[in-house]
Amino acid sequence: MDNASLTTAPIVLTPGEVDLAALRRVHAGGVQLALAPSARAGLVAAQATVRKIIDAGAVVYGINTGFGKLAQTIIPTERLAELQRNLVLSHACGTGEPLDAGVVRLVLATKAVSLARGHSGVRPEIVDALLALCNAGLSPRIPSKGSVGASGDLAPLAHLACVLIGEGEVTTPQGEVIGGAEALKRIGIAPFVLGPKEGLALLNGTQVSTALALAGLFGAEDVFAAGIMAGALSLEAIQGSVKPFDARIHIARGQPGQIAVAAAMRALLDGSEIVPSHADCGRVQDPYSIRCVPQVMGACLDNLAHAARVLRTEANAASDNPLVFAGPEGTSGAGDVISGGNFHAEPVAFAADIIALAVAEIGAISERRMALLLDSGLSGLPPFLVRDGGVNSGFMIAQVTAAALASENKSLAHPASVDSLPTSANQEDHVSMATFAGRRLADMVQNTAVVVGIEAMAAAQGIELKRGPKSSPLLEAEFAAIRERVAFIDQDRFLAPSIEAMRSWARRSDWPEAVRSMLPSQA
């Protein structure tokens, strides 16, 4: 991370109040993070509660016992530091490619926020260290596989915790892989000797699942916006009817996402010269992939909005176990330490599955519009959008690529949350699989970005093949942005670079306000 790119004012993380816009900025990088000063009192109080339990000689799960199936094993006070260190090392069993830097930043930020809720019993210095790693662009190498999403993301979070005790590995902003102790040295922190409850608090929690799902949500928003834009361009390319976007139709049904998408389509088409140029063409109904953009994309938007609400809540949640509830201020009461199951990531798994359905549908309807553009009987455009067909194949195989990726997404959209495999000698007998549910979203978003990018490239080709009246100012600006990336295809050429350029187009976030205002993290 280039320090010159950092904003001067840090994002202040207030536990319980961190919003999606801030989390999107954390994922994108180039920001500094700071903990709200108001959170420190809760951290100190919870740690004091843990200390009172130790001093009183009480036996409390997670503080001076074994874990999981070993919860009945009492650990003597002089071995508690050893217990916490062994817990971290023994649970660092992840495998697979490391999570990317954007996801790791989200993990660090949300783990800091969760601990700072004041129910985990850790020192404030632990939270400070997590934020210092993030601010320095030092990414703990967290393997992407090995969590079932309950009892928290144990294995991946153990790899994060390893760094705090001077173990594990870290990737620097320059891509260098260094040891955990060296990473801490670079930010002026000595390796921690973990106190009672601290190792367990770091390992328990849903932060990896949540970070993966948040990254998937942000990517889904990008391709959703691209899908709206591509759909509007395709409508102009086939000279489709705008009557299906009449506000009265959508108000009569009442679905909020549908109403919003129809309004966005009207805004994108406002001022088009193409629309009135075919007012008397006699066209009554377009295929569903054009006519039902508000209904399909609106349903996707409603699902993304629901998932966003769940993930925002979870990003602010205290999700480790047991939870510490400090006694009333000014009293001698030790407070309560209560075992529960907030580490079970079922809400995250459902949210990720809902995002997956939306991402798959965005790509599915886009691929159908792409196929429509190539069908001269329906579109009125040259077959496969190229002149001198036969000698030239045009977009024939680009549509095959889109179909392959849309079909792949159908398999990836199978809900992960319906699966469960018991672990820990049946103590953890139902799990969420939320980590995979979130992780697979990255592949799905990339697939859909390619599909929507191909559609937009094809729509621009169709508009240019019929070039006469201009489209709306917003769509003409988007047409120009596409042409900056890919040229008109007058004869067959190597298309893979153009497809990659359009994938990047679909992963943008700087969409017109008419589209961007619908997105949960940018509204």
Side-chain angles (χ1 to χ4, degrees), residues 171-427:
T171 302
T172 70
Q174 295 75 34
E176 178 188 7
V177 177
I178 60 175
E182 174 61 24
L184 292 178
K185 181 179 178 182
R186 293 189 184 188
I187 56 175
I189 295 175
F192 286 90
V193 177
L194 297 174
K197 181 68 169 60
E198 289 183 331
L200 184 59
L202 286 166
L203 269 58
N204 263 176
T206 62
Q207 287 74 42
V208 171
S209 299
T210 302
L212 287 164
L214 282 168
L217 171 68
F218 302 147
E221 289 181 344
D222 292 342
V223 297
F224 171 85
I228 296 291
M229 190 65 69
L233 290 166
S234 291
L235 181 140
E236 290 285 71
I238 68 166
Q239 297 184 350
S241 173
V242 297
K243 290 181 180 179
F245 310 116
D246 188 304
R248 293 169 291 182
I249 294 173
H250 308 287
I251 291 171
R253 191 178 202 184
Q255 296 289 354
Q258 179 177 327
I259 292 168
V261 170
M265 291 292 285
R266 292 194 303 273
L268 291 176
L269 292 161
D270 186 39
S272 169
E273 297 174 5
I274 296 176
V275 170
S277 73
H278 58 87
D280 300 321
C281 67
R283 194 177 198 130
V284 177
Q285 293 186 335
D286 293 311
Y288 291 176
S289 60
I290 294 289
R291 194 196 331 166
C292 296
V293 165
Q295 288 80 3
V296 175
M297 295 294 277
C300 292
L301 178 59
D302 286 337
N303 276 340
L304 293 179
H306 170 72
R309 287 191 294 271
V310 172
L311 295 177
R312 183 193 182 280
T313 298
E314 195 68 16
N316 284 279
S319 60
D320 65 288
N321 183 63
L323 292 182
V324 179
F325 297 90
E329 188 174 355
T331 71
S332 59
D336 294 313
V337 178
I338 307 174
S339 286
N342 279 5
F343 50 65
H344 199 297
E346 195 78 351
V348 180
F350 279 164
D353 284 346
I354 289 168
I355 294 168
L357 292 175
V359 172
E361 282 299 277
I362 293 164
I365 195 170
S366 174
E367 186 278 328
R368 288 294 81 202
R369 290 192 299 264
M370 169 67 179
L372 167 62
L373 289 167
L374 304 192
D375 187 336
S376 59
L378 291 172
S379 69
L381 294 162
F384 303 110
L385 299 174
V386 69
R387 300 186 180 102
D388 199 13
V391 172
N392 292 300
S393 296
F395 283 76
M396 180 189 295
I397 306 305
Q399 187 264 329
V400 172
T401 297
L405 297 181
S407 183
E408 182 177 310
N409 274 355
K410 293 177 186 178
S411 295
L412 289 171
H414 178 81
S417 58
V418 301
D419 188 21
S420 177
L421 196 65
T423 61
S424 193
N426 280 313
Q427 176 75 7

Side-chain angles (χ1 to χ4, degrees), residues 24 79 99 230 273 332 520:
R24 185 183 253 273
R79 301 196 71 184
L99 298 177
E273 297 174 5
S332 59

Side-chain angles (χ1 to χ4, degrees), residues 62-63 65-67 75-93 123 126 154-155 157-168 179-181 184 190-203:
I63 294 177
T65 70
F67 308 108
I75 310 299
T77 300
E78 64 272 15
R79 301 196 71 184
L80 292 183
E82 180 186 0
L83 170 70
Q84 296 298 314
R85 180 178 178 84
N86 286 350
L87 175 71
V88 170
L89 294 174
S90 67
H91 283 53
C93 295
R123 286 166 280 176
I126 296 280
L154 292 171
L157 286 173
H159 285 269
L160 167 61
C162 275
V163 173
L164 295 181
I165 64 173
E167 302 289 344
L184 292 178
F192 286 90
V193 177
L194 297 174
K197 181 68 169 60
E198 289 183 331
L200 184 59
L202 286 166
L203 269 58

